[in-house]
């Protein structure tokens, strides 16, 4: 496995920041896990997804209405991922581990696998953010070239045009190929996948069979092949595009930095880990309560990467502390004031990366 070394011996930024963050929670008598704001999202989104699914199977409706319901279902499934699964898999939904474990399996209900995702996201992405060669989330070359160290091919000249189409296929590719590829190769990109217990093997196969039955077999039997195919593609287009865009706006914009593992499979990053997180991550739409609610606080990615064990409902409050501390230490705090400015920044970057080196 490639090796990354951080200059943590001279770390000063994160200890000072953590002290202020801990003081904030202590002074306000708050837990770092979720509260009623998070629990209410769970109570709303999970039953809503079930209702929309049953509506599609049981209620007669015009074709355009069915397509709209499929799109809304795709959005709701993405919202479950952003708001419920993400906190649970990071262990910050609840102070009770079993609650986090159970709600982490909402990813399995959507079609993914929480065990593999935790290794890919919690370990690799959060430790080696934007490190080409280790961060699996930016390992989409040669389809899309996201940083200058990735191989360029001629079709990248128009990647800013076809990228939304590939993003819309993201969840299909993820659920039906990537999980299996990681499972059978026992690797996440270039890193070994931890040994899965018998329980996790059973959960992997049971949830994949569940996905095929619920999202494919039953709709085909009830609605027929053509209606199922249209609905399946619409649902995944919305869910895939939504999840892809939220990630890209957090790490693949003009301001964020990238690094790479060299030919000797090693890299030394001269910053402490926390500084690296700030430099490779960006916030967007911090003033939008709607975006914050829907995206599960993932528009505050700087805060999330610095404190992944703190629930997203606290990010708007602690962002003020993080920003102030970054200014104190002279560390650039990347932020796009609106969602659309962040989108423009992402597509300008991938257009630039599509230019022949």
């Amino acid at each position: 496995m490639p090796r990354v070394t951080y200059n943590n011996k001279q770390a000063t930024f994160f200890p000072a920041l953590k002290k202020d963050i801990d003081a904030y929670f202590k002074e306000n008598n708050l837990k770092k896990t979720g509260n009623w704001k998070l629990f209410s999202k769970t109570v709303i989104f999970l039953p809503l997804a079930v209702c929309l699914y049953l509506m599609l199977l049981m209620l007669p409706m015009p074709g355009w209405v069915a397509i709209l319901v499929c799109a809304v279902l795709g959005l709701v499934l993405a919202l479950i991922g952003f708001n419920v699964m993400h906190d649970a898999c990071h262990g910050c939904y609840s102070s009770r581990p079993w609650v986090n474990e159970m709600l982490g399996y909402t990813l399995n209900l959507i079609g993914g696998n929480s065990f593999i995702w935790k290794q890919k996201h919690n370990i690799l992405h959060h430790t080696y953010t934007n490190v080409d060669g280790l961060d699996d989330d930016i390992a989409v070359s040669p389809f899309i070239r996201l940083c200058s160290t990735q191989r360029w091919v001629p079709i990248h000249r128009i990647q800013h045009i076809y990228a939304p189409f590939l993003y819309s296929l993201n969840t299909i590719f993820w659920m039906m190929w990537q999980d299996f590829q990681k499972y059978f190769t026992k690797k996440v990109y270039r890193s070994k996948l931890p040994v899965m217990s018998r329980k996790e093997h059973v959960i992997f196969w049971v949830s994949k069979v569940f996905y095929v039955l619920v999202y494919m077999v039953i709709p085909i039997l009830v609605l027929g092949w053509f209606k199922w195919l249209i609905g399946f593609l619409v649902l995944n287009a919305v869910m895939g595009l939504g999840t892809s865009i939220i990630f890209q706006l957090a790490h693949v914009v003009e301001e964020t930095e990238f690094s790479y593992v060299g030919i000797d499979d090693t890299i030394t990053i001269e910053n402490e880990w926390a500084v690296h997180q700030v430099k490779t991550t960006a916030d967007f739409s911090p003033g939008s309560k709607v975006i914050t609610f829907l995206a599960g606080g993932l528009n505050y990615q700087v805060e999330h990467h610095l404190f992944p064990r703190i629930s997203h409902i606290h990010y708007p409050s602690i962002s003020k502390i993080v920003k102030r501390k970054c200014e104190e230490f002279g560390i650039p705090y990347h932020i796009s004031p609106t969602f659309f400015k962040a989108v423009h920044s992402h597509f300008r970057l991938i257009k630039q990366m599509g230019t022949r080196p």
Side-chain angles (χ1 to χ4, degrees), residues 25-171:
F25 281 95
K26 185 176 182 180
E27 291 168 5
N28 291 279
N29 195 28
L30 294 172
K31 289 185 177 181
K32 294 181 179 180
T33 49
N35 58 22
W36 67 269
K37 293 180 181 179
L38 176 55
F39 306 151
S40 64
K41 292 183 180 185
T42 310
V43 172
I44 293 170
F45 294 146
L46 290 178
L48 180 57
V50 174
C51 289
L52 291 170
Y53 177 81
L54 293 176
M55 282 175 58
L56 287 166
L57 294 183
M58 302 174 66
L59 297 181
M61 60 184 74
W64 68 271
V65 175
I67 290 174
L68 180 61
V69 174
C70 287
V72 174
L73 177 56
L75 175 61
V76 173
L77 294 179
L79 297 182
I80 291 171
F82 296 152
N83 291 276
V84 181
M85 178 279 292
H86 191 254
D87 272 25
C89 282
H90 273 292
C92 59
Y93 183 99
S94 169
S95 57
R96 296 178 175 85
W98 70 268
V99 174
N100 292 316
E101 182 179 8
M102 292 303 297
L103 289 176
Y105 289 133
T106 54
L107 176 59
N108 297 56
L109 297 178
I110 295 172
N113 180 267
S114 60
F115 179 89
I116 293 175
W117 189 86
K118 287 176 184 177
Q119 175 67 16
K120 162 190 166 67
H121 181 82
N122 294 10
I123 306 300
L124 295 178
H125 172 63
H126 272 266
T127 306
Y128 310 116
T129 311
N130 279 13
V131 177
D132 183 23
L134 278 172
D135 186 353
D136 187 63
D137 284 359
I138 62 170
V140 292
S141 181
F143 302 107
I144 302 178
R145 183 173 184 254
L146 297 180
C147 60
S148 61
T149 55
Q150 293 177 342
R151 182 168 65 96
W152 180 88
V153 294
I155 197 172
H156 288 154
R157 290 191 180 97
I158 59 170
Q159 65 176 9
H160 59 289
I161 298 174
Y162 66 72
F165 172 73
L166 293 186
Y167 292 164
S168 68
L169 297 176
N170 173 45
T171 49

Side-chain angles (χ1 to χ4, degrees), residues 6 62 96 111 152 180 207 209 351:
Y6 287 103
R96 296 178 175 85
W152 180 88
F180 289 102
S207 60
V209 171
K351 184 177 181 180

Side-chain angles (χ1 to χ4, degrees), residues 207-219:
S207 60
K208 289 300 180 183
V209 171
F210 172 86
Y211 178 77
V212 171
L213 286 174
V214 171
Y215 292 90
M216 298 180 185
V217 175
I218 293 176

Side-chain angles (χ1 to χ4, degrees), residues 56 66-67 70-71 225-237:
L56 287 166
I67 290 174
C70 287
W225 274 95
F226 183 72
K227 290 182 179 179
W228 162 79
L229 181 61
I230 297 299
F232 185 75
L233 292 176
V234 169
L235 181 153
N236 279 281

Side-chain angles (χ1 to χ4, degrees), residues 11 15 105 127 173-174 190 221 255 344 354:
Y105 289 133
T127 306
F173 187 60
W174 172 8
R190 297 167 66 182
L221 293 176
E255 297 82 9
H344 291 160

